[in-house]
Amino acid sequence: MNSLIDKYNIPGPRYTSYPTVPYWDENSFSPELWKQSVIRTFKESNADEGISIYIHLPFCEALCTFCACHKRITKQHSVEIPYLESVLKEWQLYLRMFGEKPKLKELHLGGGTPTFFSPQNLKALLEGIFETVDIAEDQEFSFEGHPNNTTREHLETLYNLGFRRVSFGVQDYDPKVQKAINRIQTFEKVKEVTEWAKEIGYRGISHDLVFGLPHQTWEAMENTIRKTMELKPDRLAFYSYAHVPWVKGVGQRGFDENDLPSGEEKRRLYEDGKKLLEELGYIEVGMDHFSLEHDDLYQSLIQKKLHRNFMGYTSSKTQLMVGLGMSAISDSWYAFAQNVKTVEEYQKMVEEGEIPVVKGHILSDEDLTVRRHILNLMCQLETTFDAHNSFPELQHAFEMLGEMEKDELVEINGHHIQITEKGRAFTRNVAMVFDLRMMRNRPETRIFSMTI
């Protein structure tokens, strides 16, 4: 395995989209084209599957130095109401495009720290959206909770509004690691909020763990996993730490690169962590995710309904995902759009009645074909290649898998590709073979985290 790590541990995307953000063609994009794409997709899909909404709530009281998200650090909670008012104004701009009431199937509150906001303010935001939509019977509402500031009132308020899923950011219980990433939280606090969620009735409780953090050892990782098992969350995200300190504003300056585990050490954290999770009853779903057998995420994998988008893996799929808030990304299937990345500019544009997008991408027919293959690989670990109707360069990409087949990472049967159990750890590498945009324009500087 070590030789494979040396061979395949290269910078690569996580493929929450294709094309990936660095390869968006901004020259052929405009807010007007984005609106046209939204209207097209809404008309095609709203009556049947409905839409998804992602709301980016960017405020945090302290900077976690492992975080690569767009956020604003402040202890001033006076920012809450003006920001939420702007989100509702942005939503009104989309409602005008739709021309009819949308059916809301999926809603996620991300950040930042959604539980930075008071339960009362979150309730006002959500009620402002709910009064404008029809809520699907099989809706899936979820939010991210920081264990240190998620109160029982947060959990009860959101549960009463239809939320049944919550993910708590745990990362690691080791004090030395927590100090390095500036995320001090005790097991007792995580236990308290997890037990509150269970008592209230949440059926999809998730804990986020991260491997590859500074000073992390297998002994500490094993302790974190075993402590997590005491609380038995329904699912786990077991993420690889993405070290991207060159990205402006991510804050990854709280430690030296020499403090990070080597590629070999990091892979051991994953391999041994995965083995322990499976021994404790968890099943790997897609990439980086594990769930118990009863959880919807596993059931969607079995039923081949697993989906992946900018919110990560989800057991429900909609063609249109509207991202609201500063830096939020939207997806109409035929196009992507990202909002401006500062709170002030976001609020100014919304106040002036403008869709606050700063960049985006209109997908070509080739992009749509590649996107389907990469989604299949990321969600089902397999895809079938159509030799007659695919693009010539895609045929070449398919042929490039021969080396991976020799390394037993994939099995190729005719035009069917299956990622093996051994190859799961290299899923991103397999997907990269099909990334025609990156193949044509290899980055001269490092823009992605390492795949391992």
Side-chain angles (χ1 to χ4, degrees):
M1 178 61 84
N2 289 347
S3 61
L4 290 178
I5 293 170
D6 293 338
K7 184 175 182 177
Y8 290 105
N9 188 23
I10 59 175
R14 290 176 181 266
Y15 291 112
T16 50
S17 75
Y18 180 84
T20 54
V21 176
Y23 288 97
W24 285 1
D25 182 1
E26 297 179 42
N27 294 325
S28 63
F29 176 85
S30 70
E32 189 55 41
L33 288 174
W34 168 243
K35 292 176 188 178
Q36 292 173 18
S37 180
V38 168
I39 293 167
R40 172 189 175 182
T41 304
F42 182 80
K43 288 179 178 177
E44 286 180 358
S45 62
N46 181 60
D48 296 323
E49 62 182 24
I51 72 167
S52 298
I53 297 176
Y54 169 78
I55 303 177
H56 189 68
L57 301 172
F59 300 110
C60 302
E61 289 194 345
L63 176 65
C64 300
T65 57
F66 71 94
C67 177
C69 299
H70 294 289
K71 64 270 181 184
R72 173 66 61 85
I73 308 303
T74 180
K75 294 184 183 293
Q76 302 301 315
H77 286 261
S78 58
V79 300
E80 291 186 34
I81 291 176
Y83 183 81
L84 297 181
E85 287 175 345
S86 294
V87 170
L88 288 172
K89 287 176 182 176
E90 184 188 4
W91 175 237
Q92 286 296 323
L93 296 176
Y94 278 97
L95 288 172
R96 288 173 206 160
M97 285 188 229
F98 298 155
E100 63 179 273
K101 214 172 196 181
K103 180 169 74 174
L104 180 59
K105 184 174 182 180
E106 188 177 20
L107 172 66
H108 183 72
L109 307 181
T113 306
T115 47
F116 172 96
F117 292 77
S118 73
Q120 296 77 16
N121 286 337
L122 290 175
K123 183 173 187 246
L125 167 70
L126 294 164
E127 287 179 341
I129 289 174
F130 291 165
E131 66 186 18
T132 66
V133 303
D134 292 324
I135 297 177
E137 290 183 6
D138 58 345
Q139 98 278 9
E140 186 169 310
F141 295 171
S142 59
F143 73 99
E144 299 165 13
H146 191 318
N148 284 353
N149 66 14
T150 300
T151 65
R152 188 175 184 111
E153 187 181 1
H154 277 114
L155 292 162
E156 289 174 341
T157 298
L158 292 170
Y159 183 89
N160 291 336
L161 289 166
F163 285 74
R164 295 294 180 269
R165 297 199 173 282
V166 56
S167 61
F168 294 117
V170 173
Q171 325 329 331
D172 191 299
Y173 286 117
D174 184 76
K176 188 175 183 180
V177 175
Q178 289 189 359
K179 183 178 179 181
I181 63 175
N182 196 35
R183 180 73 175 233
I184 310 297
Q185 60 193 19
T186 64
F187 172 73
E188 288 69 30
K189 186 58 188 172
V190 178
K191 179 180 180 181
E192 181 180 54
V193 294
T194 300
E195 290 180 347
W196 282 343
K198 288 181 178 180
E199 290 167 10
I200 291 166
Y202 284 83
R203 57 175 172 76
I205 302 170
S206 177
H207 286 189
D208 293 351
L209 307 181
V210 178
F211 64 91
L213 292 170
H215 307 299
Q216 205 169 45
T217 64
W218 166 243
E219 289 71 26
M221 189 81 259
E222 180 182 13
N223 179 60
T224 292
I225 291 174
R226 291 197 181 278
K227 280 186 173 295
T228 300
M229 290 311 98
E230 292 179 35
L231 306 180
K232 206 73 171 176
D234 302 287
R235 64 174 71 165
L236 286 162
F238 192 42
Y239 291 122
S240 168
Y241 166 60
H243 191 58
V244 288
W246 57 85
V247 177
K248 183 180 178 181
V250 301
Q252 293 182 337
R253 293 289 189 275
F255 43 84
D256 189 276
E257 287 209 15
N258 294 323
D259 296 328
L260 298 173
S262 66
E264 182 179 337
E265 291 168 333
K266 188 177 180 184
R267 180 46 45 191
R268 186 200 170 191
L269 291 173
Y270 171 75
E271 292 292 343
D272 288 359
K274 173 186 170 182
K275 182 179 178 183
L276 180 56
L277 286 169
E278 290 175 340
E279 288 174 1
L280 294 167
Y282 285 82
I283 303 163
E284 190 169 18
V285 177
M287 180 186 75
D288 302 334
H289 285 66
F290 294 79
S291 79
L292 296 174
E293 197 167 315
H294 70 262
D295 188 74
D296 286 350
L297 200 65
Y298 174 70
Q299 294 302 318
S300 65
L301 174 69
I302 297 301
Q303 298 163 14
K304 295 190 179 296
K305 293 180 179 179
L306 189 67
H307 185 55
R308 184 171 175 83
N309 56 27
F310 289 105
M311 296 185 280
Y313 283 108
T314 172
S315 54
S316 64
K317 174 189 174 295
T318 65
Q319 201 168 326
L320 177 61
M321 184 185 79
V322 176
L324 302 175
M326 177 269 275
S327 82
I329 298 179
S330 299
D331 177 2
S332 71
W333 184 256
Y334 304 108
F336 301 120
Q338 183 169 25
N339 284 352
V340 292
K341 297 180 182 179
T342 69
V343 173
E344 292 77 13
E345 190 177 3
Y346 168 73
Q347 291 178 317
K348 180 177 181 292
M349 290 182 71
V350 169
E351 197 62 41
E352 293 172 352
E354 294 182 56
I355 290 288
V357 299
V358 66
K359 65 179 179 180
H361 179 85
I362 307 298
L363 278 77
S364 66
D365 289 343
E366 179 192 272
D367 289 337
L368 290 167
T369 299
V370 174
R371 183 181 190 185
R372 281 191 291 271
H373 283 303
I374 288 180
L375 260 179
N376 289 342
L377 291 167
M378 299 299 288
C379 295
Q380 309 301 337
L381 302 176
E382 62 180 344
T383 193
T384 299
F385 181 81
D386 188 337
H388 302 293
N389 299 321
S390 293
F391 298 88
E393 283 181 273
L394 208 51
Q395 175 71 46
H396 175 65
F398 178 75
E399 292 165 356
M400 288 169 58
L401 289 169
E403 186 71 17
M404 290 186 173
E405 187 176 33
K406 289 179 185 175
D407 290 331
E408 301 178 343
L409 306 185
V410 298
E411 292 176 354
I412 301 174
N413 184 7
H415 292 98
H416 182 75
I417 304 151
Q418 177 76 52
I419 296 175
T420 64
E421 188 63 31
K422 183 178 179 181
R424 272 182 176 268
F426 304 93
T427 298
R428 291 164 69 184
N429 299 82
V430 178
M432 284 170 65
V433 171
F434 290 91
D435 192 333
L436 298 186
R437 287 188 176 267
M438 187 166 65
M439 196 182 302
R440 293 176 190 135
N441 185 20
R442 293 283 179 183
E444 294 181 4
T445 58
R446 188 168 160 191
I447 58 176
F448 298 115
S449 63
M450 303 298 279
T451 57
I452 298 170

